[in-house]
Amino acid sequence: MKIPSNIVTLIAGIAITLISLWYGQNHGLMPVAASDEATQVDDIFAFMMTVATGLFLLIQGILIYSLIKFRRKKGDQTDGPPMEGNIPLEIVWTAIPTVIVFVLSLYSFEVYNNMGGLDPMSSHDHGTKMAANHSEMVAFDTDKRVALGLGVPLGSGDQAPLVVNVNGIQYAWIFTYPESGIVSGELHVPVNRPVQLKIEASDVLHALWLPEFRIKQDAIPGRASELAFLPRRTGAYPIICAELCGAYHGGMKSMLYVKSEDEYNQWVQENTLAQADSAEKVALNTREMTEEQYLAPYIQEMGINRETLAALVK
Ligand code: CUA
């Protein structure tokens, strides 16, 4: 029995579509998505993967089919039929990529905009001030907050973002928390609160890369850049330098800890105290914690401030 070729084409088309749709969702190439931004990036990646898989199967399928079907028969010394130009075919294979690229550019533009890429300064409320007078503009410049990077994402709520200053040096990341004065070699953030990183470098170019958050930003000496994200998943995630910055570039790694709000507050309490304390003492033995240090995380529950606690335990 001979199956009509248009039926075969239809079945092949359906098969390619189904395989592409399945593989687009099940490629397994990405690490866990730990932020809202990651989910958006993964969606566009899944879409691209679907289109790419479809094109791959279509083109390779036709190629392999043609190689087998039109291979030279044994003993056949004749040439193939002369063929030149096929206007409708050329229009089709130009139109298809054009449409794909057009859709992809609109989609990626939308994602970039959602991530705050079009307006990294939105959170500073500087736009109106800037227009107000020239001296404000000078102040703005010296502040070095330039429109570079991804700002606070749209729809990240009324919650004020946690601002962390990031400094890249050979070969480490230094995180400074203006809110609490903590200086750390690791980044600790609470879950479900927008985070805004103000990134700089002290020596050479570095790049802060958070693979699980699908964001990456250059750290440039003398120029501030930004990165904002909304962490949605607690856990420990790698921070990687993604710019060749010297002999030990490969070792320039740190960790990002996304914690529950309580755990984060506890970390802030502990580190605020530890850093204030270590300024006075040379070494801090955690096995010999004073009552004050031990009670520090519970200050909030006790409804007293740190000075009161210090007075109580002395
Ligand atoms: Cu810093 Cu590579």
Side-chain angles (χ1 to χ4, degrees):
M1 190 184 90
K2 180 135 176 67
I3 305 163
S5 69
N6 53 356
I7 300 288
V8 175
T9 311
L10 183 70
I11 290 167
I14 291 170
I16 287 176
T17 307
L18 290 177
I19 292 168
S20 305
L21 286 170
W22 179 84
Y23 190 66
Q25 300 299 320
N26 297 282
H27 52 74
L29 295 172
M30 291 290 204
V32 293
S35 67
D36 274 6
E37 292 70 24
T39 311
Q40 292 187 54
V41 172
D42 285 5
D43 285 347
I44 194 170
F45 187 78
F47 177 70
M48 288 166 74
M49 210 63 195
T50 305
V51 172
T53 306
L55 286 177
F56 177 82
L57 292 176
L58 180 72
I59 293 164
Q60 299 305 314
I62 292 174
L63 188 66
I64 291 168
Y65 170 80
S66 303
L67 280 172
I68 295 167
K69 171 96 181 172
F70 303 109
R71 70 186 187 280
R72 200 180 74 165
K73 305 284 185 307
K74 210 172 181 183
D76 182 1
Q77 295 300 324
T78 59
D79 210 351
M83 269 194 259
E84 195 192 323
N86 188 328
I87 298 292
L89 186 63
E90 283 176 28
I91 288 172
V92 166
W93 76 39
T94 307
I96 292 173
T98 306
V99 170
I100 291 171
V101 168
F102 192 70
V103 170
L104 270 179
S105 56
L106 284 180
Y107 188 1
S108 57
F109 186 81
E110 176 71 16
V111 171
Y112 185 61
N113 193 21
N114 281 342
M115 289 168 75
L118 288 183
D119 190 11
M121 296 186 298
S122 58
S123 58
H124 303 313
D125 192 31
H126 269 173
T128 46
K129 280 190 206 158
M130 231 165 96
N133 59 49
H134 182 68
S135 63
E136 280 285 355
M137 267 184 88
V138 174
F140 181 82
D141 279 348
T142 52
D143 215 358
K144 289 193 293 183
R145 286 173 184 170
V146 290
L148 181 71
L150 298 171
V152 172
L154 298 177
S156 56
D158 309 325
Q159 221 179 357
L162 170 70
V163 177
V164 184
N165 295 325
V166 182
N167 191 16
I169 54 168
Q170 286 169 320
Y171 296 96
W173 295 105
I174 310 292
F175 302 97
T176 311
Y177 292 70
E179 253 179 33
S180 54
I182 292 173
V183 179
S184 171
E186 291 165 335
L187 184 54
H188 296 250
V189 300
V191 72
N192 295 332
R193 181 179 171 190
V195 178
Q196 198 171 11
L197 305 177
K198 301 196 179 286
I199 305 166
E200 272 197 296
S202 286
D203 36 40
V204 298
L205 288 172
H206 302 274
L208 187 86
W209 181 29
L210 305 169
E212 280 78 5
F213 298 77
R214 312 287 190 271
I215 47 176
K216 189 187 326 182
Q217 184 55 260
D218 282 347
I220 306 164
R223 188 174 173 184
S225 49
E226 277 189 359
L227 213 48
F229 61 96
L230 187 50
R232 287 299 196 191
R233 200 173 183 279
T234 55
Y237 307 100
I239 299 174
I240 300 167
C241 178
E243 182 73 63
L244 184 61
C245 54
Y248 298 99
H249 156 70
M252 190 166 164
K253 291 186 178 118
S254 184
M255 290 301 280
L256 163 53
Y257 296 97
V258 180
K259 303 176 157 186
S260 70
E261 207 179 328
D262 287 347
E263 282 174 336
Y264 173 74
N265 288 334
Q266 193 176 332
W267 177 82
V268 170
Q269 297 274 6
E270 283 166 4
N271 281 269
T272 311
L273 202 69
Q275 286 184 7
D277 210 48
S278 60
E280 293 156 26
K281 292 179 188 171
V282 177
L284 184 80
N285 189 340
T286 49
R287 282 170 174 273
E288 294 172 7
M289 283 175 97
T290 65
E291 273 176 293
E292 187 186 347
Q293 287 163 341
Y294 183 76
L295 291 172
Y298 309 104
I299 286 176
Q300 273 192 329
E301 288 170 47
M302 290 157 75
I304 55 170
N305 59 30
R306 194 141 46 88
E307 284 72 24
T308 316
L309 175 66
L312 281 172
V313 297
K314 258 165 198 162

